[in-house]
Amino acid sequence: VNRISDVARLAGVSPATVSRVLNDNPTVSRDLVRRVQAAVEELDYEPNRAARNLRRRGSSVLALLVSDIDNPFFTALVRGVEEIALKLGFSVVLCNTDEDLTKESRYIAVVLAEQVAGVIISPTSEHQTDLSPLLDRGVPVVAVDRLTAGHAVDTVVSDNVEGARLGIAHLLDNGYRRIAYIGGRAGVSTSRERAAGYRLGLRQAGIKPEPALVISGGYRRDGGHTAMLRLLAQPRPPDAVLVANHVMAIGALEALREAGRRVPDDVGLVSFDDPPWAALVSPPMSVIAQHDYEIGRHAAELLGLRMQEDTRPPASIVLKPELRVRESSRRR
Amino acid sequence: VNRISDVARLAGVSPATVSRVLNDNPTVSRDLVRRVQAAVEELDYEPNRAARNLRRRGSSVLALLVSDIDNPFFTALVRGVEEIALKLGFSVVLCNTDEDLTKESRYIAVVLAEQVAGVIISPTSEHQTDLSPLLDRGVPVVAVDRLTAGHAVDTVVSDNVEGARLGIAHLLDNGYRRIAYIGGRAGVSTSRERAAGYRLGLRQAGIKPEPALVISGGYRRDGGHTAMLRLLAQPRPPDAVLVANHVMAIGALEALREAGRRVPDDVGLVSFDDPPWAALVSPPMSVIAQHDYEIGRHAAELLGLRMQEDTRPPASIVLKPELRVRESSRRR
DNA sequence: ATGAAAGCGCTAACAT
DNA sequence: ATGTTAGCGCTTTCAT
C-alpha cells in the first residue's frame, strides 16, 4: 500500500505538497498540481483514513442510527439522508439500534470512537436515550422522527398529533363511533403524540375517550396482533381502530381476519405509514402517510448547517402528514 | 477528551500497561489491572479508534454492502449478520449500494480506506462488481445472496435454480400451462439462476420454454408493473407468472388488478421472498421463501473464520429455499 | 509557493 | 511484569 511519501517521491515534491493538492489547497502552483495528480493516478494512491482522521480529529462519515431497519419508513428516510449527504461529500453508515437501549448506547460509543462527522438518530426512547456522550464532545446530532427530551438538538419530525387527529376525523366522518387506538412503545414520542391526537380528534367530535380502547402494541407485529385480539375480546369491542405504525397494522389485520371480522364493514382501520403494499392488502389500507424521504433530506441538511456553525440555535422542522383514504376505512 | 497517558498517570503506571489492560494482555498483574480499570472508569476513558486503527492497521468494524435497503430480504439478512458479528466483538455498518455500480465502488473505496475488518456484500453485478481493491489488500470478503464471477471468495446463497423449479412445478400441478417469468436485473446471478430454474421446471414437464414469456423487471417495483402489463398485452398472454423478487411482485399485482385479471383464477402468481405482508394481500401470495436470517448468520460466521485463517479454501454455502403455498397460485 | 519538522494517540518491540 | 521508545501516515505550523 502506497503512502503519501511514495507519491511525493514519484512527483518529485514534498509530502506536504501532496497533502495540499489532495486537499485542494489553492497555494500550489498549477505545474506541481499536475505532477502530483499524475503520481496519484499512477500509484492508484488512496489516503489512509485512520491517519487522516487521527490528525484531523474527525472523519467524513455520517452515522445514521435507526430504531428499526425493517421499517420501510426508515429505509426511505435513509435514502433521503444519503442523497444530501453524498452531495455534501459524506458517506453514510447505518446502525440498527433495534428499539434497544443497550444496542443504541453501544452504537453511540462506537460512532463516537470512530469520530464520525455527525449523527442522525431516531431515539429509542424519549427520556432514556442519552445523547450527551455525543453532544459533550461536540458531535453534531439531529434527531429524526422522534423527539428526545432534555437535549437541545435539531429535530425533524412529523406532526403526529395532527396526523392522528386527521385519521380520527376521517373515521368519524365514515360513521364509526367506538374507535380504538393501538399505540407504539411507551416512552417514544411518536406514540405519545399520536395518542394525544387520537384523544383530540375524539373530543373535537364531543366523544369522551375511553382508556379501555387505548392499548399498546410496542411497534411490533405481534404486539399489534395481540392488541387487536384483546380489543375484540372486550365486552363492547371497537368498531374502528387507529394503528400507530404499519408494522402493527399487519398484525392487527391478521387478528381481524382470524377473528372473522370484516374490514371495513365490521371494523374500520387506519394506520400510520404508507408502505408499498398498502394498496394491495385486502381491503386496500387507508393510511396517514409521512414524508419519510423528505424527513431524511431535511435531517442531512440540518446536520450540514450545524457542522458549519455549531452555535446556531437548534432548529425544529415539523412536516405535515397526509391522509390517504383507501378502502379499509370506508363503510359502504 | 482523555488520552491513554491521562489514564496512565492517574493509575500510576505507563501508557503501555494501560494499553495491555485494555487489550486483555494477560501479562499484567492483578493489582495493576484493577488500578487501571478504576482509572478508566473514573475518567470515562474511551480509546481513540483512529489512533488505534492507524497503529494496528485495522478496525473492529464490519461493513455490509447491500444492494437494496428497502428489501425486507436484505434487512432480515442484516439482522443475522449483526447477531453473529456482535458476538464476535464487531460492530456492523451498513452501506446501501442501491443496485448502482458507481455507488458500490465508492463504498468499496470508503470501507477500504476506513480499514474495516471485513466486508459482506451482495454484489450489484456478477461480472462488473470489482472486489479486487478489497482482496488485493487482504480484506476478508463474503458474498451473500449473489455470486460474483472471477473472485474466489466465500459465498452464502440460496439454491435459486431449485427455488424457481419448485415454483414452476407447483404452478404446473395447479393446472397452469403458459407460465411467464419476470426476471431481475440483467447481470445479477440470482436473476440468471432463477431463469434457469424456470426453464428447467418447464422442461421437466415436457414444456418448451418460450422466450416471449421471459421478461426483465430489473428488481424494481415499476419494472414488475411494466413487465406484467407487457405480458398481458401479448397475443397469447400467460396464465401464470413466476416473479423473481417480491418488490416486482407488488408491481405485477398492481398491473393485474388494473387490467382486471383475477388472481389466481385468471392468472396464477408465485414470487420469490416472503415479506411480512405476503399473507395479507389479496389473494394471499404464494412464495418461495429464502432463509434470509440464516444467510446473514452464515456469512458473518464465514467472515469470522476467514479473518482467523486467510488461507482456508473459499467455502460456498447454499441454502434450500422453501415453497410456501397460499392462494395466489391455487386454481379453485 | 514549497519544504522541514513536529505531533495526533495508540501499540508493539525491545529493554529491564 | 513493567517501562521506554519508536513509529503508524497524515496534516499543519513554521520557516524559507
Side-chain angles (χ1 to χ4, degrees), chain B residues 20-86:
Chain B
R20 291 187 183 104
V21 172
L22 258 24
N23 295 290
D24 295 320
N25 185 320
T27 67
V28 185
S29 70
R30 302 181 45 66
D31 181 43
L32 287 195
V33 170
R34 251 199 319 267
R35 266 161 57 196
V36 168
Q37 284 171 341
V40 166
E41 196 83 4
E42 167 76 20
L43 296 176
D44 204 17
Y45 170 74
E46 190 67 41
N48 179 315
R49 300 284 181 117
R52 168 178 286 181
N53 295 348
L54 174 58
R55 183 62 231 232
R56 286 200 189 153
R57 297 147 180 276
S59 70
S60 61
V61 172
L62 303 185
L64 182 44
L65 276 57
V66 301
S67 46
D68 181 8
I69 190 74
D70 270 341
N71 191 329
F73 169 80
F74 286 115
T75 58
L77 193 151
V78 171
R79 291 172 180 280
V81 169
E82 271 184 335
E83 185 198 309
I84 303 301
L86 296 184

Side-chain angles (χ1 to χ4, degrees), chain A residues 161-179:
Chain A
V161 174
E162 174 62 7
R165 198 197 60 77
L166 232 44
I168 295 302
H170 165 68
L171 251 7
L172 255 11
D173 274 354
N174 279 265
Y176 298 102
R177 281 296 168 268
R178 272 186 78 71
I179 308 177

Side-chain angles (χ1 to χ4, degrees), chain A residues 92-114:
Chain A
V92 179
V93 303
L94 224 65
C95 305
N96 178 28
T97 63
D98 215 5
E99 304 282 10
D100 178 338
L101 266 173
T102 310
K103 272 188 159 184
E104 182 177 59
S105 63
R106 172 176 177 154
Y107 273 119
I108 288 177
V110 168
V111 301
L112 190 56
E114 296 288 345

Side-chain angles (χ1 to χ4, degrees), chain B residues 122-180:
Chain B
S122 67
T124 290
S125 160
E126 184 168 9
H127 294 279
Q128 295 181 72
T129 291
D130 184 13
L131 299 178
S132 49
L134 260 11
L135 299 172
D136 288 351
R137 304 216 197 172
V139 179
V141 176
V142 175
V144 285
D145 179 53
R146 304 167 172 192
L147 302 173
T148 170
H151 299 294
V153 297
D154 297 297
T155 54
V156 187
V157 296
S158 291
D159 185 341
N160 291 295
V161 175
E162 174 62 7
R165 197 197 60 76
L166 233 43
I168 295 302
H170 165 68
L171 252 6
L172 255 12
D173 274 353
N174 279 265
Y176 297 102
R177 281 297 168 270
R178 273 186 77 70
I179 307 178

Side-chain angles (χ1 to χ4, degrees), chain A residues 4 19 45 48 52 55:
Chain A
I4 201 170
S19 175
Y45 170 75
N48 179 315
R52 169 179 285 181
R55 183 60 229 232

Side-chain angles (χ1 to χ4, degrees), chain A residues 218-241:
Chain A
Y219 281 145
R220 301 277 187 191
R221 176 183 185 160
D222 49 342
H225 186 267
T226 311
M228 193 72 238
L229 250 25
R230 282 176 48 202
L231 249 11
L232 293 177
Q234 294 189 6
R236 294 178 56 214
D239 64 358
V241 59

